[in-house]
Amino acid sequence: AMSQLFVYHTSMPKQALKVLNHLEDITSTLNQVGIRFEHWQAHQSITAQSSNDEVIAAYADDIARLKAEGGYVAVDVISLDDKHPQKDELRAKFLDEHTHSEDEVRFFVSGRGLFSLHIDEHIYAVLCEKGSLISVPAGTKHWFDMGEHPRFTALRLFNNPQGWVAEFTGDKIAQAYPTLDDLL
């Protein structure tokens, strides 16, 4: 499955202005509004049984490049699936619009997630599939949906792991837009 980008105007949450399916189009459209989007290939084979260290090693070159470019100091691996007892709470936690004082950097090793970014008068809903890297700059209003049946393994890069907290805007805008499940 390839990543997709749905672009909405804030006055029309039910009707995408455009739907982009090609990596180059997605990347350039997001780059124009300051969002890094890349596609990475593993340099060694990894499976569902691979350790976190093996997953990190498979993407070591890209991680090193991103650390150098973005000043990130820490990397970790997060996995979530349908069997997680707190999946509903974890999903709900990020479904409302929020910001972070840090960049939110996610690379999807497997599975998928939907990042919706609120930039000026537009919403950029990025359906990230396996191989996608997205970096949401600090202060960018956004929300994240892992879906009703979450399944993903992702790398996270941090400037400061302690500083990574969601600051909610109080705006209910996210409720007007499609969920991950709506888009699939």
Side-chain angles (χ1 to χ4, degrees):
M2 284 305 292
S3 300
Q4 289 185 289
L5 172 62
F6 302 80
V7 183
Y8 301 87
H9 192 271
T10 48
S11 65
M12 291 194 307
K14 297 292 179 233
Q15 180 63 51
L17 299 174
K18 54 185 166 185
V19 179
L20 303 176
N21 300 301
H22 294 285
L23 192 61
E24 297 77 20
D25 298 340
I26 295 170
T27 302
S28 65
T29 300
L30 290 172
N31 286 174
Q32 285 165 20
V33 290
I35 306 298
R36 180 194 291 266
F37 187 82
E38 298 177 356
H39 198 268
W40 292 3
Q41 300 285 347
H43 295 297
Q44 58 200 57
S45 66
I46 47 175
T47 68
Q49 282 66 52
S50 298
S51 71
N52 288 357
D53 287 343
E54 287 168 335
V55 170
I56 290 169
Y59 297 99
D61 294 351
D62 282 312
I63 290 169
R65 174 177 55 83
L66 217 57
K67 280 183 168 180
E69 290 175 12
Y72 307 113
V73 296
V75 59
D76 71 6
V77 179
I78 178 174
S79 281
L80 198 80
D81 66 19
D82 230 358
K83 299 181 211 45
H84 195 293
Q86 271 91 49
K87 66 171 186 178
D88 294 335
E89 295 94 301
L90 288 166
R91 181 190 186 206
K93 189 175 173 187
F94 297 108
L95 276 178
D96 281 325
E97 185 182 77
H98 60 278
T99 62
H100 302 285
S101 59
E102 300 270 318
D103 296 349
E104 180 166 6
V105 186
R106 292 287 178 279
F107 171 73
F108 286 83
V109 176
S110 65
R112 58 164 66 105
L114 177 67
F115 279 93
S116 297
L117 317 171
H118 182 185
I119 300 171
D120 299 324
E121 299 296 302
H122 293 93
I123 304 295
Y124 298 83
V126 193
L127 179 57
C128 296
E129 296 275 2
K130 175 183 175 174
S132 300
L133 172 109
I134 189 168
S135 177
V136 181
T140 304
K141 293 189 266 188
H142 68 285
W143 57 94
F144 175 71
D145 187 10
M146 60 182 73
E148 287 177 43
H149 305 284
R151 182 187 62 81
F152 66 86
T153 297
L155 292 172
R156 305 188 292 179
L157 283 88
F158 298 98
N159 297 111
N160 167 17
Q162 283 70 47
W164 201 79
V165 180
E167 297 162 35
F168 290 92
T169 65
D171 192 327
K172 295 296 173 201
I173 185 169
Q175 295 171 10
Y177 288 84
T179 64
L180 174 65
D181 301 287
D182 290 336
L183 292 176
L184 292 178

